[in-house]
Amino acid sequence: MEQITLQASKRNVSTKGALNTMRREGKVPAIMYNQHGKSESISVNLREFSKISREISESSIVTLLIDGKEHSFFVKDRQLDLLTGNLIHIDFFEVEKNALVHVRVPLHFVGTAPGIKLGGIFESPMHEVEVSALPGDIPQHIEVDVSNLNVNESIHVRDIKVNNKIKLLSAPDMVVATVKYAKHETTAAEAAPAAESASTEEKK
């Protein structure tokens, strides 16, 4: 997994005025939670966080550098200002290297479904799956090969290939990807036999 590193500073202020001043200085207030429910207040640079923000998913491990020490965390929540859309707060959750964690991992679909060439439409009802794994074994994404997917066929969670260090927690029968005919094409296809049957009856 690609390492994401971010500088952070401890903070002692928590009043509304002090936090607003901090934001005007280009910093974002944040809280670090550990596995035992204890928390510590910190701040991170808004510009630095914004640069890596798109790379961070629920399964991404972020290394926070605080007073020269490294701490591993997941980004659990980001609070935005409802009026401006600006980031105003972040929640980090501590990662214990030897403890299993439950996270959602994005799906990346690879290959071209042959059913598309036959007029089908590719649909992906799921864009991520829930997994259980040690923090160091969590992938940035899981690839799903759709190169054998024909019309009216589906790929389910149970069909996803992962290594033995990862356990899929999402329901096995959930549809991950499918190829279907467009509704009007299906209707036309169903109507054709009926029209042919009616024509035959008229000739009798």
Side-chain angles (χ1 to χ4, degrees):
M1 175 180 289
E2 182 181 354
Q3 185 173 13
I4 301 174
T5 303
L6 186 67
Q7 294 281 350
S9 303
K10 293 183 180 180
R11 63 179 173 89
N12 298 316
V13 295
S14 58
T15 63
K16 184 176 180 180
L19 294 179
N20 286 336
T21 299
M22 183 183 299
R23 295 183 182 106
R24 286 194 295 270
E25 294 173 348
K27 298 179 181 180
V28 180
I31 295 181
M32 305 184 305
Y33 295 94
N34 66 17
Q35 297 280 350
H36 309 289
K38 293 184 178 180
S39 63
E40 186 171 357
S41 299
I42 62 169
S43 66
V44 299
N45 184 281
L46 174 60
R47 182 175 295 180
E48 290 184 6
F49 185 83
S50 297
K51 287 180 180 178
I52 63 173
S53 180
R54 292 184 180 180
E55 306 173 31
I56 300 174
S57 66
E58 184 180 316
S59 60
S60 301
I61 296 177
V62 177
T63 300
L64 294 179
L65 294 177
I66 306 173
D67 296 333
K69 295 183 179 180
E70 294 187 353
H71 306 264
S72 297
F73 288 86
F74 292 120
V75 175
K76 274 305 188 184
D77 190 31
R78 311 178 205 195
Q79 184 180 348
L80 303 179
D81 185 287
L82 295 178
L83 296 177
T84 65
N86 294 332
L87 180 67
I88 59 175
H89 195 274
I90 308 170
D91 285 349
F92 293 97
F93 189 77
E94 185 181 26
V95 175
E96 290 189 5
K97 294 183 179 179
N98 297 318
L100 291 172
V101 293
H102 295 179
V103 294
R104 290 190 293 269
V105 178
L107 297 175
H108 280 199
F109 299 98
V110 297
T112 301
I116 296 176
K117 296 180 180 180
L118 299 175
I121 297 176
F122 178 80
E123 297 179 357
S124 52
M126 294 180 64
H127 299 284
E128 57 187 14
V129 288
E130 188 174 1
V131 307
S132 172
L134 292 174
D137 296 326
I138 299 172
Q140 285 291 99
H141 62 267
I142 294 175
E143 289 191 349
V144 179
D145 187 358
V146 300
S147 57
N148 292 317
L149 192 60
N150 286 302
V151 178
N152 294 329
E153 291 183 348
S154 301
I155 297 176
H156 299 81
V157 169
R158 60 175 175 268
D159 303 316
I160 297 176
K161 307 298 181 184
V162 293
N163 63 49
N164 57 11
K165 295 180 180 180
I166 301 171
K167 181 180 180 181
L168 295 172
L169 299 179
S170 299
D173 59 346
M174 293 182 70
V175 175
V176 172
T178 186
V179 175
K180 297 179 179 179
Y181 281 123
K183 188 173 182 180
H184 70 277
E185 292 179 351
T186 302
T187 303
E190 293 173 347
E196 183 179 348
S197 176
S199 176
T200 303
E201 289 296 328
E202 290 176 0
K203 291 179 181 180
K204 289 182 178 180

